[in-house]
Amino acid sequence: MSRICVVGAGYVGLVTGACLAELGHDVVCLDIDHEKIAALRAGRVPFYEPGLAELLDTMRSRGRIAFSDRYDEAVPSAAFVFITVNTPTGAEGQADLEAVRNAVRDLAAVLSPHAVIVNKSTVPIGTGDLVEYLARRYTSVPFSVVSNPEFLREGSAIADFRSPDRIVLGSRNRAAAEAVLALYEPVRCPVLITDIRTAEMIKYASNAFLATRISFINEIAAICERLGADVTEVARGMGFDHRIGAEFLEAGLGWGGSCFPKDVRALIHMAATSGTHPQLLRAVLEINRDQRLALVQKLHTALGSLEDRTIAVLGLSFKPNTDDLRNSPAIELIDLLYYEGCQVRAYDPVAMPRARPLLPASARLCATPYEAVAGADAVVIATAWQEFRELDLARLRAALRVPVIIDGRNCLDPAATRAAGFVYLGVGRGSGQPLAATLPRAEPREADEPDTAILGRDGWTR
Ligand code: UGA
């Protein structure tokens, strides 16, 4: 059993703290946000992560986890100090290290001799060296630095911690890396002990690769759409190849969240400032941005002009099972719809309380998906919540003014949805023929008849 301080009580910090406590360690989660610490002490978790509130409660009742807003209270008795503060995107796409610098300054001043500083925040290559250099300025006690990147997915972070695909540790001091590894006992998985810079790069390269897979399948989806193939089947067929694998090949509105956009941009920035030409990564970003535009284009194809149209958007969080709205494709889509002159009615199972300040004032938040679609000209599925896969299509059809479904996450069965009387457009889901030959027509307003001129102007094959 070790005494551990986790600096930064955000997603990564609280999940790491709770799970290390579950493994039997004594944990203090530290944050300079006094209100957040007061809320955590009162048993309130500031965001939605399945199982986390319950695990924190259990650990607190067993006396395994405590919360503090003071470095001099939380750090001196800790043998391991984890840094899990946020590293937002700076003005030029680089990771902003201010929170890391401040944390290192404040923890180093009260560090116990031989403590290990473990960096879990996603930081630019070389930050481990910077942490060592900075900490040395504020303390004279001996210490070690270990980079231990996290690979936790929001929505399944606790499960990911309990059974990780791998543990990566980077350090100049192998004994320190092994001591950090011992904290994870009895977790079993492949372990890689390497140097700090390589460990830091593994994190960026992993996220950039996953984002690349998604942008790749989205590019394939665009081609499928033109040529009449179904990308969901294409992805299945590809996924059986063990060299490719089945995951992260879901075409749709694209990726968002607090990690991929920030990390891909930061890697591009690191590449460019170190004199290389990150052309693939730039294309990955560009394809992702275009996914939102392509969805608006589909609405145009189905409805003609979007001016004064009412569009129901189902799903606001950046992915299902979280209320996180950071860089959410759904929110970016709503911005585009707003600039097209649309009225937006939106619904999300958990993210609505946090969504209001991010949406145009005219956007209406609704209590159910059926309320959201009432009187709408089209419905867009923007986040793949399970609830949307189980929608009552007849009820939906009765509530919509124009029965158009743009399935931005390929949640629904195209044939069943069309059979229920909808104009259905997914992402990359051809039906064996080029799209223009098969595109069913919505009931457009007279002035907006989506004639072949619209199809032609926008580049669809006639
Ligand atoms: C991601 C990584 O998956 C984690 O391994 C990593 O630890 C984390 O970032 C991080 O750096 O902290 P997360 O941001 O929680 O985790 O979300 P993902 O599950 O990776 O999804 C990212 C985005 O890609 C979502 O918007 C999701 O809807 C989208 N996505 C995912 C697709 O569009 N298609 C797919 O096939 C998979």
Side-chain angles (χ1 to χ4, degrees), residues 8 11 14 32 63 82 119 146 182 205 259 272 301 327 336 354 367 424 458:
Y11 278 99
L14 287 178
I32 51 170
F82 281 70
N119 189 34
V146 174
C259 305
T301 306
N327 297 303
L336 291 175
R354 302 176 95 187
Y424 174 90
D458 296 326

Side-chain angles (χ1 to χ4, degrees), residues 268-342:
I268 288 173
H269 185 265
M270 279 182 266
T273 52
S274 65
T276 58
H277 181 198
Q279 49 192 321
L280 174 62
L281 296 175
R282 287 196 172 122
V284 166
L285 268 186
E286 201 176 314
I287 292 166
N288 194 50
R289 192 199 53 211
D290 285 354
Q291 291 311 107
R292 283 59 141 166
L293 298 172
L295 197 138
V296 174
Q297 197 52 58
K298 287 191 172 111
L299 281 168
H300 272 295
T301 306
L303 297 173
S305 165
L306 297 183
E307 184 88 44
D308 289 331
R309 291 286 199 180
T310 300
I311 309 296
V313 175
L314 301 186
L316 295 170
S317 56
F318 84 96
K319 67 171 187 178
N321 299 322
T322 175
D323 64 350
D324 196 341
L325 295 153
R326 286 176 288 178
N327 297 303
S328 170
I331 302 289
E332 290 174 26
L333 173 73
I334 290 174
D335 279 344
L336 291 175
L337 295 177
Y338 174 74
Y339 287 113
E340 292 278 340
C342 298

Side-chain angles (χ1 to χ4, degrees), residues 40 129 187 204 232 242 265 267 271 275 310 319 328 384 394 401 412:
L40 286 164
D129 297 331
V187 171
Y204 277 105
T232 60
H242 71 274
R265 283 198 180 84
L267 190 54
T310 300
K319 67 171 187 178
S328 170
R401 204 171 70 80
L412 302 177

Side-chain angles (χ1 to χ4, degrees), residues 12 122 150-154 203 207 210 214 248-250 254-260 263 318-319 329 409:
V12 176
T122 302
E150 55 84 16
F151 302 101
L152 308 172
R153 288 164 302 171
E154 285 180 27
K203 167 69 188 199
N207 273 1
L210 292 170
I214 303 168
F248 275 69
L249 285 179
E250 280 169 29
W255 41 269
S258 65
C259 305
F260 287 0
D263 294 350
F318 84 96
K319 67 171 187 178
R409 294 293 176 185

